[in-house]
Amino acid sequence: MTRRVRQKVCHSEDKSSKGIIGSSSQLDSGCSSSQANFEVDWITLPDDTVIQLFSYLNYRDRVSLSSTCQTFRLLGSSPCLWRSLDLRSHKFDKSAAEWLASRCTNLQRLWFRGAESAHAVISLQAKGLCEISGDLCRDITDAALSVIAARHEMLESLYLGPDACEKISSDAIKAIAYCCPKLRRLWLSGVREVNGDAINALAKHCGQLVQVGFIESEVINEVALGNLNSVRFLSIAGSRNLKWSSAAQVWSRLPSLVGLDVSRTDISLSAVMRLLSSCRNLKVLFALNCPVFEAEVDNNMMYNQKGKIIVSLFSEIFKGIASLFGDITESDKDVFHYWMILKKRDRSSYEIIKWIEWVLSHTLLRIAEKNPKEFDDFWLRQGAVLLLSLMQSSQEEVQERAATAVATFVVIDDENATVDCRRAEVILQHGGIQLLLDLAKSCQEGLQSEAAKAIANLSVDTKVAKAVAESGGIDILSNLARSMNRSVAEEAAGGLWNLSVGEEHKGAIAKAGGVKALVDLIFKWSASSDGVLERAAGALANLAADDKCCVEVAEAGGVYALVMLVRSCKFEGVQEQAARALANLAAQGDNNTDNAAVGREPGALEALVQLTCSQHEGVRQEAAGALWNLSFDDKNREAIAGGGGVEALVALAQSCLGSSQGLQERAAGALWGLSVSEANSIAIGQEGGVAPLIALARSGVEDVHETAAGALWNLAFNPGNALRIVEDGGVPALVHLCSTSQSKMARFMSALALAYMFDGRMDAIASVGSSSEGTSKTVNVDAVRIVALKHIEEFVLSFSDPQTFATAVVSSAPTALTQITEGACISEAGHLRCSAAEIGRFVTMLRNSSSILKTCAAFALLQFTMPGGRHAIHHTSLLQNVGALRVLRGAAAALAAPIEAKIFAKIVLRNLEHRHTEASI
């Protein structure tokens, strides 16, 4: 007897993310596509038109298209197409740089990621570079940075962050000062010490330096900063060990200082007020997340001065920024958008706006990452809307960071993929979903990745998920999942993973081609990339739980792809989701071909058996769940046993007693599934599987003890196992379940297990001695039989009403039997499937000398033949095959039989007649 259980759809544990929790050659790239039926002779297009078309492509696609013919090769190398280069999502080393060098003679802007890419920058031979931006810079050394500076004398902007540049010292800053006299902006994160010599070198050699940021440094010479007379914007956010009294005194003399960012420092209220009052040209002072300042400030006082504002936790930020420029918009919240579209802009004011956007995006992202409790109200009051406003900036870096901040601030528990619904709904209410979807359609892969990440995280909230789907987000994410950029594909797969939790979205994902895209991701990134593989497998696992989508998963090659992950991938998160997907594929209906298909894949079952020994609990749980569902197929069941499944699952049951409820349920369920075969049942008993199942039957968790009861019921069919259950103390556990469980199924299967144990077949073995080799266990079988039969009787009688039964005896009216049937029915029992041997045993039990066992057998057959039951037709056929009609009629007419046995037998006969009538029709 077994029951297949469809695994519940859940988030990953994202996962991650959970869950929580990178353009494409096939992507629309945000440009409209034409459906007109005409052909274009691409060779005859003007060169300018072709170059314009090239400009809409990402670098990978430009190179690919350039390889098609000599003309496109020449046009694809046009300098105007290679003025900027974003290599963050690509492997960029010396050989790649040398290959790109011929295209980069006019390169002006470069983004890179990591120390290896930093070392390769000089091989581009782009001496005219004006702007360099790098992240993941922890391993970049003074030597590497000094060489970059020496080879790029035209450099105007250098940004390294937001990760700490731990191996960069003041020596590298001096080298930058000596080699880059045109430097206008320098922004470095996490430099441990910025000494006076380095700062003075900048002051002496970089006369055009306008913007300086030393972020999250341990030590900064605040006095030397007073020598940077050309600097208009200064940020020392997150830096420590500053002497604020001397800093306020010296910085107040900076003649050009317009903007100052001291966020996330320990600045005091007095220092803030001194800077505001004494810095003649200062207009904006950022003091967000400054604990000392925030503790001293009086919320009822206004600290802004005429023409100067403080951006802090308590200030009205939009209103303050708008006040700098007069009454320029109908709504203060439109101030950033206003400056973006304004044709006649004051250069000085525009620079202030750009710096404010830059600093605000940095600061809000850092605060979102730390998620301090004090900012809960801030996010709801204005922080979320600020991020949405920044997402509309003309600066791509600001847009990207704002999208990242949205993805970050909404998650309050990354391990359990929990989002703050209030924050998510603020984003929803202010049009944030459409903004993010627009960014996701951008031609820039960095924006695509971060926007997709934000959509994914927000979609954990059901209201947002609905809005994403209604706004076309599923089509957009499905397209992004086809991207050749791993980061883009990964975040898009994460979005589909979260959206696929909702039953209402699964069909839309399949319709949009999302299933095929997810399967293709597994093949595309199978060699590594645990993030994209986990998300793709997680989304497929959710989709496989749907009857229609599971067919698409199989047709798209999903079975092979998932088996490949289970067999070869070493990342635990990927293993867990792939096993969950296979479990759900194997759980789809009696005629499900996926179940057998998984078993036919070479090494699939053996790999799942091996995963039950994983060190990761989630992997063990999902592997056991997959084996449980796969054991529904006869061939799979025997192959699992032949591949060491009995030993592995018994060991898992023995070791999981202190583990999660989900693991306990699946371990017991997998043994339940294997024990359908009597040979496997005997092997489980001999391997020591009885004791842990008894322990699981004692669990207070309904799902766990119900599943364990099912496994013990199967095991008890064999007399040797029945004796083991008695000897190992299983009778009290089953009696307790039979009497007290809130689950009717647990009580039912416990009663049937007890009936098997005491219908007489165990007696011959019990009289010989213990079933356990090398041990001696003495149990008073007669005593426990009395207890067991008593509780079986109480269980069966709990479904009978004396008055109704008495009426049924004296009346031939069908309504009385119908009333009893309705009261006795256990609907979940319709999912149980018995073998011919089991049905035959219940028929034999109808002749047992024990009236209690007769009644129990009739009650069981009533459940198994109930019209509408999943396996009722199968059971009625088996009863007819063993000639049960005569036995049932005898039981129904027996004078000495209990009234319950008679009535239940009559109902079974009626069920058989009902089936015969249906077959005749």
Side-chain angles (χ1 to χ4, degrees):
M1 174 70 64
T2 190
R3 177 180 60 166
R4 177 191 295 150
V5 175
R6 177 179 300 178
Q7 193 157 326
K8 298 175 182 177
V9 173
C10 60
H11 286 292
S12 101
E13 308 77 15
D14 181 115
K15 332 326 80 172
S16 129
S17 89
K18 81 222 349 70
I20 339 184
I21 15 302
S23 175
S24 166
S25 58
Q26 301 178 47
L27 188 66
D28 188 15
S29 296
C31 308
S32 61
S33 58
S34 174
Q35 301 297 323
N37 294 319
F38 61 86
E39 294 184 357
V40 176
D41 185 353
W42 295 96
I43 299 176
T44 63
L45 289 175
D47 290 352
D48 289 347
T49 302
V50 176
I51 290 174
Q52 184 67 22
L53 291 172
F54 267 100
S55 70
Y56 288 112
L57 302 177
N58 58 55
Y59 313 115
R60 184 187 295 102
D61 294 342
R62 288 180 196 172
V63 172
S64 178
L65 188 56
S66 296
S67 66
T68 58
C69 66
Q70 186 174 0
T71 301
F72 279 10
R73 184 176 183 178
L74 291 172
L75 295 175
S77 300
S78 299
C80 63
L81 295 173
W82 298 92
R83 289 199 177 108
S84 65
L85 195 58
D86 185 352
L87 298 169
R88 289 174 296 172
S89 300
H90 305 274
K91 179 176 174 56
F92 178 59
D93 53 18
K94 185 178 179 181
S95 61
E98 290 172 349
W99 186 81
L100 284 169
S102 62
R103 293 177 170 85
C104 296
T105 53
N106 292 329
L107 186 67
Q108 295 183 357
R109 302 177 71 193
L110 174 69
W111 293 265
F112 69 86
R113 175 167 289 159
E116 184 181 18
S117 296
H119 286 89
V121 168
I122 58 173
S123 297
L124 285 173
Q125 300 180 27
K127 296 182 179 180
L129 261 178
C130 296
E131 183 176 337
I132 294 177
S133 178
D135 59 21
L136 298 181
C137 301
R138 292 183 182 278
D139 295 325
I140 296 179
T141 61
D142 279 354
L145 186 54
S146 297
V147 172
I148 290 174
R151 298 290 182 90
H152 302 94
E153 297 178 357
M154 306 299 290
L155 197 63
E156 295 180 7
S157 175
L158 177 62
Y159 170 89
L160 298 179
D163 302 284
C165 304
E166 297 175 344
K167 297 183 179 180
I168 293 177
S169 70
S170 293
D171 292 338
I173 297 175
K174 285 190 285 185
I176 293 168
Y178 297 147
C179 298
C180 304
K182 295 188 175 183
L183 193 68
R184 293 180 56 82
R185 183 175 74 166
L186 177 64
W187 187 286
L188 301 175
S189 295
V191 178
R192 294 185 184 280
E193 180 181 3
V194 184
N195 62 31
D197 289 345
I199 295 172
N200 289 331
L202 290 170
K204 181 178 179 181
H205 298 284
C206 301
Q208 300 178 52
L209 191 61
V210 173
Q211 186 180 145
V212 170
F214 295 126
I215 310 302
E216 295 172 354
S217 294
E218 292 284 348
V219 177
I220 300 177
N221 189 317
E222 63 276 352
V223 175
L225 287 174
N227 297 324
L228 297 173
N229 292 326
S230 63
V231 169
R232 301 187 71 222
F233 306 103
L234 175 64
S235 178
I236 43 85
S239 296
R240 295 166 289 281
N241 302 311
L242 287 157
K243 300 179 180 63
W244 289 109
S245 57
S246 57
Q249 181 180 357
V250 174
W251 297 351
S252 64
R253 296 197 293 267
L254 286 170
S256 305
L257 189 63
V258 173
L260 177 62
D261 176 20
V262 295
S263 298
R264 299 180 291 114
T265 66
D266 59 355
I267 193 170
S268 64
L269 174 61
S270 60
V272 167
M273 298 312 298
R274 182 169 183 176
L275 285 165
L276 274 180
S277 61
S278 57
C279 291
R280 183 179 57 187
N281 294 316
L282 186 66
K283 291 182 177 292
V284 185
L285 193 152
F286 276 86
L288 280 164
N289 198 20
C290 297
V292 176
F293 168 73
E294 289 162 4
E296 295 174 346
V297 75
D298 185 345
N299 296 346
N300 296 319
M301 290 187 62
M302 294 293 293
Y303 294 98
N304 291 348
Q305 299 182 10
K306 186 175 181 180
K308 300 180 180 183
I309 63 166
I310 300 175
V311 178
S312 69
L313 173 62
F314 309 108
S315 61
E316 295 293 335
I317 296 175
F318 280 115
K319 185 178 294 186
I321 295 171
S323 71
L324 291 175
F325 312 108
D327 186 16
I328 58 173
T329 66
E330 293 182 4
S331 171
D332 295 332
K333 295 180 180 180
D334 294 332
V335 61
F336 294 122
H337 181 65
Y338 171 83
W339 279 100
M340 183 174 66
I341 63 174
L342 194 62
K343 293 182 179 180
K344 295 182 179 180
R345 294 182 288 215
D346 173 69
R347 179 178 177 82
S348 176
S349 298
Y350 183 55
E351 285 185 352
I352 294 174
I353 284 290
K354 287 182 66 177
W355 180 79
I356 289 174
E357 288 183 337
W358 182 272
V359 170
L360 199 53
S361 63
H362 262 283
T363 301
L364 292 180
L365 176 55
R366 278 301 195 215
I367 294 172
E369 290 169 344
K370 298 295 184 182
N371 196 25
K373 183 70 176 175
E374 298 78 17
F375 275 72
D376 284 351
D377 179 66
F378 169 83
W379 290 119
L380 301 177
R381 182 166 48 87
Q382 59 180 331
V385 182
L386 280 168
L387 291 175
L388 297 183
S389 182
L390 293 172
M391 280 165 49
Q392 301 172 74
S393 169
S394 59
Q395 303 178 78
E396 288 179 6
E397 297 96 328
V398 171
Q399 289 181 306
E400 192 174 316
R401 278 194 295 272
T404 306
V406 170
T408 305
F409 97 109
V410 75
V411 178
I412 55 177
D413 184 352
D414 191 40
E415 184 175 349
N416 295 308
T418 305
V419 302
D420 188 315
C421 294
R422 297 179 304 164
R423 297 180 185 182
E425 289 179 16
V426 170
I427 296 294
L428 178 61
Q429 291 166 5
H430 289 84
I433 301 306
Q434 191 59 57
L435 287 174
L436 286 166
L437 291 174
D438 289 342
L439 290 183
K441 293 187 289 185
S442 163
C443 299
Q444 302 302 320
E445 293 177 332
L447 286 175
Q448 292 173 1
S449 176
E450 297 309 316
K453 182 191 297 183
I455 293 166
N457 289 352
L458 287 162
S459 294
V460 174
D461 181 87
T462 54
K463 293 181 181 178
V464 174
K466 181 180 179 182
V468 169
E470 291 175 347
S471 302
I474 289 176
D475 286 326
I476 293 170
L477 291 172
S478 296
N479 280 334
L480 291 179
R482 301 184 182 98
S483 173
M484 295 298 293
N485 183 306
R486 187 181 69 187
S487 179
V488 174
E490 180 175 324
E491 300 304 345
L496 293 174
W497 186 2
N498 286 344
L499 285 167
S500 63
V501 172
E503 295 295 327
E504 66 275 23
H505 305 314
K506 292 177 180 178
I509 292 172
K511 185 177 180 181
V515 171
K516 182 67 164 59
L518 290 164
V519 172
D520 289 346
L521 275 182
I522 295 175
F523 293 119
K524 188 185 299 181
W525 305 105
S526 58
S528 58
S529 313
D530 58 315
V532 67
L533 293 177
E534 181 179 3
R535 287 161 173 77
L540 289 172
N542 288 350
L543 292 167
D546 178 82
D547 293 342
K548 294 180 180 178
C549 289
C550 85
V551 175
E552 290 214 25
V553 172
E555 290 177 348
V559 173
Y560 177 77
L562 293 164
V563 169
M564 179 181 69
L565 292 181
V566 168
R567 290 183 58 194
S568 60
C569 187
K570 302 304 179 185
F571 298 112
E572 291 170 339
V574 179
Q575 293 173 341
E576 180 179 355
Q577 295 306 322
R580 186 168 73 90
L582 291 174
N584 287 346
L585 280 172
Q588 299 299 322
D590 293 331
N591 298 318
N592 176 26
T593 58
D594 296 336
N595 196 313
V598 173
R600 287 195 299 268
E601 289 293 340
L605 301 178
E606 294 84 350
L608 287 167
V609 169
Q610 289 298 316
L611 290 183
T612 63
C613 304
S614 169
Q615 297 297 309
H616 188 274
E617 183 174 313
V619 175
R620 297 198 302 274
Q621 174 176 310
E622 302 306 342
L627 291 171
W628 183 3
N629 285 342
L630 288 165
S631 67
F632 188 81
D633 179 83
D634 295 341
K635 291 182 179 179
N636 284 347
R637 184 165 56 247
E638 301 316 312
I640 292 167
V646 170
E647 297 82 358
L649 290 167
V650 167
L652 180 62
Q654 290 169 338
S655 65
C656 76
L657 298 179
S659 302
S660 69
Q661 299 167 7
L663 177 56
Q664 292 177 354
E665 179 191 5
R666 287 163 179 78
L671 288 173
W672 184 5
L674 286 186
S675 63
V676 169
S677 160
E678 188 168 8
N680 292 343
S681 176
I682 293 170
I684 291 169
Q686 292 174 344
E687 193 66 28
V690 169
L693 285 170
I694 291 172
L696 292 173
R698 294 192 179 102
S699 170
V701 179
E702 188 174 300
D703 288 341
V704 175
H705 68 234
E706 180 182 304
T707 310
L712 288 170
W713 173 30
N714 276 1
L715 292 179
F717 187 85
N718 175 265
N721 282 337
L723 183 56
R724 286 187 180 92
I725 295 171
V726 173
E727 292 174 340
D728 288 341
V731 172
L734 291 168
V735 162
H736 179 74
L737 282 187
C738 189
S739 305
T740 63
S741 176
Q742 295 299 307
S743 164
K744 289 183 180 180
M745 280 289 285
R747 293 167 61 205
F748 178 51
M749 291 186 293
S750 298
L752 297 187
L754 292 170
Y756 277 173
M757 291 160 62
F758 298 109
D759 67 352
R761 297 195 185 188
M762 184 185 71
D763 295 349
I765 296 177
S767 64
V768 174
S770 171
S771 66
S772 304
E773 296 82 354
T775 63
S776 177
K777 299 183 180 179
T778 303
V779 179
N780 187 335
V781 175
D782 291 335
V784 294
R785 178 187 285 111
I786 293 171
V787 173
L789 292 177
K790 175 178 179 294
H791 285 85
I792 292 173
E793 181 180 30
E794 289 177 354
F795 166 72
V796 175
L797 292 178
S798 68
F799 290 87
S800 69
D801 174 61
Q803 184 176 351
T804 307
F805 272 71
T807 303
V809 169
V810 299
S811 171
S812 58
T815 53
L817 290 182
T818 301
Q819 188 176 354
I820 291 172
T821 302
E822 292 173 351
C825 177
I826 301 173
S827 58
E828 298 93 333
H831 294 282
L832 299 173
R833 181 183 177 94
C834 292
S835 66
E838 290 173 303
I839 290 295
R841 188 157 179 176
F842 286 116
V843 172
T844 301
M845 209 180 290
L846 288 171
R847 298 169 174 160
N848 197 283
S849 59
S850 168
S851 60
I852 294 173
L853 291 179
K854 288 179 182 178
T855 306
C856 181
F859 181 79
L861 292 173
L862 179 153
Q863 305 300 333
F864 300 144
T865 59
M866 194 73 71
R870 187 171 181 176
H871 303 292
I873 296 174
H874 167 72
H875 293 144
T876 54
S877 297
L878 293 179
L879 283 168
Q880 290 168 349
N881 292 342
V882 299
L885 287 173
R886 184 170 56 86
V887 180
L888 285 164
R889 290 191 185 104
L895 295 176
I899 186 173
E900 290 81 13
K902 294 179 180 182
I903 298 300
F904 290 148
K906 282 185 179 182
I907 295 172
V908 175
L909 285 168
R910 191 179 69 163
N911 291 344
L912 294 176
E913 291 169 0
H914 175 80
R915 170 58 190 154
H916 178 72
T917 303
E918 283 186 340
S920 300
I921 296 173

